[in-house]
Amino acid sequence: ATAKIWRFEADGTPKKDFVLNNPHYAGTVLLAGKNFGSGSSREHAAWAVAGYGFRVVVSTFFADIFRNNAMNNGVLPVVVPEAFSRELEQTDWRVPAHTVTIDLPRQIIRNDATGSEAHFDINPFKKECFLQGYDDIDYLLAHREDIENFEQKRQSL
């Protein structure tokens, strides 16, 4: 069986009519459909999204495994209500001023074309990691002194 290659021609050149090859649609936010990442229990799915350059995926629902793998690989999964997702689908993204803003500190996504906003949830630990640019190991290393102090106190008990 041969795999269908959507993005590239057989010779490896980008297909001109594939949307992700159009520089007009280049960006770091992927507006996805419902139930993104379902059936994806491997980390490769998150690697592919991150490898393309996406840093945020917006959907109405994420499979738990994909959501966790995405966050572990520097991709922020943003869950929005169905009505907000429909509005994003109906926005004319060909207009350069039409963008999406992700305000992670406030946990808000804004459709800059309409001014509409939606709140999204994120685990506080992962939020801090994203804001500091940490992975899980970086987080621990940043708290090394606190950990060492705790261990010294614990051992002296």
Side-chain angles (χ1 to χ4, degrees), residues 70-118:
M71 287 190 289
N72 287 338
N73 285 281
V75 177
L76 176 65
V78 173
V79 176
V80 297
E82 297 241 0
F84 191 80
S85 180
R86 276 193 302 279
E87 178 187 302
L88 291 174
E89 290 173 13
Q90 295 168 358
T91 299
D92 184 356
W93 298 110
R94 295 171 295 181
V95 176
H98 292 182
T99 58
V100 173
T101 298
I102 309 296
D103 183 341
L104 180 56
R106 294 183 348 163
Q107 296 175 221
I108 298 288
I109 177 174
R110 182 177 58 249
N111 180 345
D112 296 325
T114 64
S116 295
E117 295 182 338

Side-chain angles (χ1 to χ4, degrees), residues 19-145:
V19 70
L20 293 179
N21 293 335
N22 183 337
H24 179 77
Y25 295 106
T28 58
V29 178
L30 174 61
L31 302 177
K34 296 178 183 180
N35 209 15
F36 191 83
S38 281
S40 172
S41 63
R42 296 182 180 232
E43 199 169 20
H44 296 78
W47 290 349
V49 171
Y52 181 80
F54 293 115
R55 295 296 166 248
V56 177
V57 179
V58 179
S59 179
T60 56
F61 178 82
F62 291 95
D64 288 339
I65 293 172
F66 177 83
R67 183 180 60 244
N68 291 327
N69 285 337
M71 287 190 289
N72 287 338
N73 285 281
V75 177
L76 176 65
V78 173
V79 176
V80 297
E82 297 241 0
F84 191 80
S85 180
R86 276 193 302 279
E87 178 187 302
L88 291 174
E89 290 173 13
Q90 295 168 358
T91 299
D92 184 356
W93 298 110
R94 295 171 295 181
V95 176
H98 292 182
T99 58
V100 173
T101 298
I102 309 296
D103 183 341
L104 180 56
R106 294 183 348 163
Q107 296 175 221
I108 298 288
I109 177 174
R110 182 177 58 249
N111 180 345
D112 296 325
T114 64
S116 295
E117 295 182 338
H119 178 270
F120 62 90
D121 292 323
I122 182 172
N123 171 300
F125 165 70
K126 285 299 185 181
K127 179 179 178 179
E128 183 176 346
C129 287
F130 274 105
L131 290 172
Q132 300 299 325
Y134 293 161
D135 64 14
D136 294 357
I137 306 275
D138 293 326
Y139 177 85
L140 288 173
L141 291 173
H143 292 87
R144 183 179 187 154
E145 187 176 317

